[in-house]
């Protein structure tokens, strides 16, 4: 036989003495390339990851585009988006309580649901970017929607017509819940503009990090170094946005009112949008590769249709792939075959009947099958970050109540792998929630022993709210390690034509974390406490009679269990680069095996 590793099982049957040895070989031995392919919508294949300009044309001189200068414009957009996100997540709870006269519990759940929907729907933004619009146009459209939503929220906090009457609503009335409630249409308006904002964020979040990473040449010898630094600076911009939201925006709200605070968020987003569009001539773009959901559906249906086909069938020609160096998927390079999820490989089995009537719903390329395998393979890692997002969500909403009882006056290691960074982040998040439980127990006992048990909206002058900074610093460190590692992990491991959807996995985990926090809170309210006996639940509106510390201890236990699940998933995961090296070794082995002696 020749030295080529691509062959048909029929040719293998001609040498019985060696057939048993070949049958022990991995499936990638039986791999063929064919020119006989009918693509959906008549599309052929393209140069994979070749960057283009905003008009979809090849860039003549790459040195004039991309790089760190282009990335700076993108950092600004992400900084403003995170500033608005955290500014709303913290201030909206108190706005609903003090201005719209909703209870703390209802306000927290409403904000949790808003955060959850805005993050979970990021999958839609990733899909549109990868399938049709590209990352640039997805960001451009949705960042404008985001600005419209923030403007609507600013109007809600500025114009009295959108707010219930504040007359005769002093602190005693707020404690008793006797303030005039917001009218149904006023809450409808607030929820509408709030979810418009969330919809805008859903389109931006999965695209910004991927679009920024696209600005660097993957053929450069320093590409990996640039990518590491980019994701570090990217999350630095996230952190700066969060710090501004927790400090400057809160200060503006306290000194100048809600309208000024939300208006500041809208102005920041408007400036970032302007800077993003100014940078348009500098950006490098990746062509959208067509609907990834269609490709996933084709693999599943083709595999189901051939579920009874055997890999050793006489009707088998081999595993199908298009010829040449490029894949059939626009904007994607070829992906080497792997041996897990063998049931999906049947979608790429080319039988004799496929030669007569080829169809993408009956026969898929190996690259297309490997895309689906990669998406499945990635799921456990971001799923293990849901618990961290539960903790972060609880801190963002419940700590507001803690702060109102207190006096409010006043990098990661380069050598760590992506999964190691995620693991460090999860471990630090456990420390943060343990400290939160310890401090809340102390704060509650202090309130009771100093006569503040039933004055939960009265600040205790001798207990500083700065003690809460410890848990915020710890969860901030945890998020830096976890999210930086996770975003880089998802960008590098996701298929070329599904980078935005890969990044959306992180946002989806965040959204599920928000939903999980809401569900957990609802369960705790229903199973703890006894109204008939006058025993409040853990999350009672009066934080001094509730047991927030018990909730934090529960989160600590769940976090430890989640961390163990992560260690197991990380241990089993193989990076794409490791799989590629494994396949290269296997091809070399096959060539040596097939060469004449």
């Amino acid at each position: 036989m020749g030295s080529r590793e691509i062959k048909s099982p029929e040719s293998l049957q001609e040498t019985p003495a060696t057939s048993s040895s070949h049958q022990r070989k991995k499936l990638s031995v039986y791999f063929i390339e064919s020119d006989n392919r009918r693509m959906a919508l008549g599309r052929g294949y393209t140069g994979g990851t070749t960057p283009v300009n905003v008009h979809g044309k090849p860039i003549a001189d790459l040195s004039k585009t991309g790089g760190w200068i282009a990335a700076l414009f993108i950092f600004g957009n992400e900084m403003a988006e995170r500033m608005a996100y955290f500014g709303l997540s913290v201030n909206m709870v108190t706005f609903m309580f003090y201005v719209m006269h909703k209870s703390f519990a209802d306000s927290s759940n409403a904000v949790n649901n808003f955060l959850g929907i805005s993050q979970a729907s990021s999958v839609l933004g990733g899909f549109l970017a990868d399938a049709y619009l590209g990352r640039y146009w997805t960001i451009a459209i949705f960042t404008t929607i985001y600005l419209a939503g923030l403007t609507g929220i600013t109007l809600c906090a500025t114009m009295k017509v959108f707010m219930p009457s504040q007359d005769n609503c002093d602190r005693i009335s707020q404690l008793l819940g006797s303030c005039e409630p917001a009218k149904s249409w006023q809450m409808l308006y607030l929820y509408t503009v709030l979810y418009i904002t969330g919809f805008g964020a859903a389109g931006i979040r999965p695209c910004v990090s991927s679009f920024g990473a696209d600005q660097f040449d993957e053929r450069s010898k320093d590409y990996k170094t640039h990518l590491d630094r980019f994701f570090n600076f990217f999350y630095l911009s996230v952190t700066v946005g969060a710090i501004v939201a927790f400090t400057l925006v809160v200060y503006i709200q306290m000194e100048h009112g809600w309208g000024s605070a939300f208006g500041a968020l809208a102005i920041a987003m408007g400036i970032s949008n302007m800077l993003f569009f100014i940078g348009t001539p500098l950006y490098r773009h990746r062509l959208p590769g067509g609907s990834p959901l269609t490709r996933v559906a084709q693999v599943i249906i083709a595999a189901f249709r051939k579920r009874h086909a055997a890999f050793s069938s006489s009707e088998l020609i081999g595993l199908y792939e298009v010829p040449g160096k490029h894949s059939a998927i626009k904007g994607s390079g070829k992906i080497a075959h792997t041996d897990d999820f063998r049931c999906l490989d049947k979608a790429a089995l080319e039988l004799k009947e496929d030669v007569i009537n080829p169809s993408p719903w009956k026969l898929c390329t190996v690259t297309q099958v490997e895309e689906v395998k990669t998406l499945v393979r990635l799921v456990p890692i971001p799923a293990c970050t849901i618990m961290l997002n539960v903790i972060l969500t609880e801190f963002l909403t419940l700590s507001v109540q803690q702060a109102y009882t207190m006096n409010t006056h006043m990098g990661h290691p380069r050598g760590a792998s992506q999964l190691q960074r995620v693991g460090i982040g999860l471990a630090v998040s456990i420390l943060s929630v343990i400290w939160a439980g310890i401090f809340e127990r102390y704060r509650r006992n202090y309130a009771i022993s100093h006569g503040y048990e039933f004055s939960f909206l009265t600040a205790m002058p001798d207990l500083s709210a700065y003690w809460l900074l410890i848990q915020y610093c710890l969860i901030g460190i945890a998020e830096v390690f976890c999210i930086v590692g996770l975003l880089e992990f998802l960008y590098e491991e996701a298929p070329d034509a599904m980078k935005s959807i890969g990044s959306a996995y992180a946002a989806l985990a965040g959204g599920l974390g928000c939903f999980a926090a809401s569900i957990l809170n609802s369960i705790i309210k229903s199973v703890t406490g006894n109204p008939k006996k006058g025993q409040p639940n853990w999350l009672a509106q009066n934080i001094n009679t509730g047991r927030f510390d018990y909730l934090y201890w529960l989160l600590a236990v769940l976090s430890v269990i989640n961390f163990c699940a992560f260690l197991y998933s990380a241990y089993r995961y193989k990076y794409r680069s490791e799989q590629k090296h494994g396949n290269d070794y296997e091809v070399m082995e096959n060539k040596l095996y097939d060469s004449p002696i």
Side-chain angles (χ1 to χ4, degrees):
M1 290 185 181
S3 62
R4 193 181 183 192
E5 76 278 11
I6 302 171
K7 61 182 73 62
S8 165
E10 293 180 9
S11 61
L12 295 176
Q13 293 172 359
E14 296 173 2
T15 54
T18 62
S19 61
S20 60
S21 299
H22 269 287
Q23 288 173 359
R24 290 194 298 268
K25 295 282 185 181
K26 293 185 178 179
L27 187 60
S28 52
V29 172
Y30 311 123
F31 198 75
I32 72 158
E33 292 182 336
S34 171
D35 295 308
N36 186 18
R37 176 66 164 171
R38 187 173 69 209
M39 295 300 297
L41 304 178
R43 289 179 178 172
Y45 54 88
T46 66
T49 57
T50 303
V52 297
N53 60 24
V54 70
H55 304 294
K57 305 296 183 183
I59 299 174
D61 187 359
L62 289 178
S63 64
K64 296 181 179 180
T65 62
W68 287 105
I69 296 179
L72 288 175
F73 290 96
I74 299 170
F75 288 146
N77 187 266
E78 177 62 15
M79 188 184 301
E81 192 276 324
R82 292 288 87 183
M83 176 179 164
Y85 173 83
F86 286 112
L88 289 177
S89 63
V90 172
N91 289 293
M92 189 53 65
V93 174
T94 51
F95 177 76
M96 286 186 176
F97 178 77
Y98 284 106
V99 179
M100 306 306 286
H101 304 154
K102 304 284 287 183
S103 69
F104 260 127
D106 290 342
S107 300
S108 296
N109 275 343
V111 173
N112 285 352
N113 290 334
F114 155 71
L115 297 178
I117 291 175
S118 74
Q119 295 201 72
S121 58
S122 296
V123 175
L124 172 63
F127 167 76
L128 291 175
D130 285 340
Y132 303 111
L133 299 178
R135 290 187 261 279
Y136 171 82
W137 287 111
T138 303
I139 295 172
I141 292 170
F142 282 88
T143 197
T144 305
I145 295 173
Y146 204 141
L147 179 59
L150 288 174
T151 303
I153 293 174
T154 302
L155 293 177
C156 182
T158 304
M159 301 177 67
K160 292 184 178 180
V161 67
F162 294 116
M163 297 178 284
S165 174
Q166 306 300 313
D167 296 336
N168 302 317
C169 186
D170 53 17
R171 181 154 295 185
I172 298 298
S173 299
Q174 289 174 337
L175 286 171
L176 298 175
S178 59
C179 294
E180 179 183 322
K183 297 180 177 64
S184 57
W185 71 266
Q186 290 173 331
M187 291 307 303
L188 177 62
Y189 173 80
L190 176 59
Y191 286 140
T192 299
V193 293
L194 196 59
Y195 282 105
I196 288 174
T197 305
F199 182 64
I204 300 172
R205 193 172 293 115
C207 300
V208 176
S209 60
S210 297
F211 187 55
D214 288 345
Q215 305 310 308
F216 299 96
D217 187 359
E218 61 187 16
R219 295 168 295 184
S220 169
K221 63 179 181 179
D222 298 324
Y223 174 68
K224 186 64 172 67
T225 302
H226 287 318
L227 207 60
D228 285 340
R229 289 177 181 172
F230 166 78
F231 280 106
N232 288 336
F233 280 113
F234 177 81
Y235 209 74
L236 176 62
S237 68
V238 173
T239 304
V240 171
I243 291 173
V244 172
F246 291 138
T247 55
L248 181 60
V249 176
V250 172
Y251 172 79
I252 293 174
Q253 180 270 311
M254 295 176 68
E255 294 295 323
H256 303 286
W258 299 103
S260 298
F262 293 139
L265 299 179
I267 291 171
M269 180 57 69
I271 294 174
S272 76
N273 287 2
M274 181 180 65
L275 292 175
F276 177 78
F277 289 122
I278 289 174
T280 297
L282 299 175
Y283 300 141
R284 296 174 183 173
H285 305 259
R286 301 286 175 89
L287 293 173
S291 172
L293 296 184
T294 300
R295 297 200 299 276
V296 171
Q298 287 173 342
V299 170
I300 294 173
I301 291 174
F304 179 77
R305 284 178 168 178
K306 294 180 179 176
R307 63 191 182 280
H308 298 305
F311 291 116
S312 58
S313 170
S314 61
E315 295 294 314
L316 173 65
I317 297 176
L319 289 180
Y320 176 75
E321 183 59 277
V322 295
K325 297 180 179 179
H326 307 305
S327 78
I329 301 167
K330 199 174 184 181
S332 173
K334 282 185 176 179
I335 304 177
H337 175 264
T338 59
D339 286 284
D340 47 359
F341 305 112
R342 291 281 292 270
C343 59
L344 294 176
D345 282 326
K346 293 192 174 183
L349 287 180
E350 185 171 22
L351 306 178
K352 292 179 180 178
E353 63 185 59
D354 294 318
V355 178
I356 302 173
N357 185 28
S359 167
W361 294 93
K362 293 182 179 179
L363 180 63
C364 304
T365 64
V366 169
T367 294
Q368 192 175 342
V369 172
E370 291 301 321
E371 277 190 329
V372 179
K373 287 185 182 181
T374 301
L375 290 180
V376 175
R377 211 179 282 124
L378 288 176
V379 167
I381 302 301
C384 290
T385 67
I386 292 175
M387 197 62 227
L388 181 144
N389 287 286
V390 171
I391 297 172
L392 181 59
T393 301
E394 298 287 24
F395 282 0
L396 287 175
T397 54
L398 299 182
S399 292
V400 173
Q401 289 175 261
Q402 290 176 291
Y404 271 91
T405 70
M406 301 161 72
N407 186 354
T408 57
H409 296 289
M410 335 208 336
H412 68 267
R414 175 64 181 87
S417 71
Q418 297 154 356
L419 292 183
Q420 285 172 340
R421 293 178 223 168
V422 175
I424 292 172
L426 294 179
V428 175
S429 73
I430 297 174
L431 298 179
S432 73
V433 77
I434 290 176
W435 165 258
I438 294 172
F439 177 71
E440 172 54 22
R441 185 178 182 86
Y442 172 80
R443 188 211 60 80
R444 182 178 183 274
N445 291 338
Y446 183 95
I448 294 174
S449 62
H450 287 76
Y452 290 95
E453 182 174 3
F454 299 104
S455 302
F456 67 96
L457 288 181
T458 301
M460 295 177 284
D462 295 328
L463 187 60
S464 174
Y466 285 107
W467 284 104
L468 295 174
L469 288 179
I470 296 177
Q471 66 197 52
Y472 273 116
C473 287
L474 287 172
I475 196 65
I477 293 171
E479 198 179 13
V480 167
F481 273 99
C482 186
I483 304 303
V484 169
L486 183 62
L487 286 175
E488 186 175 351
F489 168 76
L490 293 172
Y491 182 82
E492 291 196 12
E493 296 299 298
D496 292 334
M498 293 185 177
K499 296 293 186 185
S500 297
I501 286 186
S503 298
Y505 270 23
L508 179 60
L512 293 176
C514 295
F515 288 133
S518 292
I519 294 171
L520 181 62
N521 290 349
S522 298
I523 293 174
I524 286 175
K525 289 174 188 176
S526 64
V527 302
T528 61
N530 191 331
K532 294 181 179 179
K533 296 182 179 180
Q535 181 180 348
N537 64 62
W538 291 2
L539 299 178
Q541 179 153 310
N542 184 346
I543 186 176
N544 296 330
T545 59
R547 298 308 303 248
F548 279 27
D549 53 334
Y550 287 176
L551 170 63
Y552 290 140
W553 292 124
L554 176 61
L555 291 176
V557 172
L558 294 176
S559 296
V560 170
I561 296 173
N562 175 76
F563 184 66
C564 293
F566 168 79
L567 292 178
Y568 175 76
S569 300
Y571 175 76
R572 289 178 55 86
Y573 188 84
K574 289 185 178 180
Y575 287 99
R576 282 180 62 182
S577 58
E578 295 175 358
Q579 294 172 351
K580 183 178 184 300
H581 293 326
N583 281 324
D584 290 344
Y585 178 81
E586 180 186 330
V587 167
M588 184 180 297
E589 184 186 67
N590 291 337
K591 286 182 178 181
L592 291 173
Y593 183 88
D594 294 335
S595 298
I597 299 177

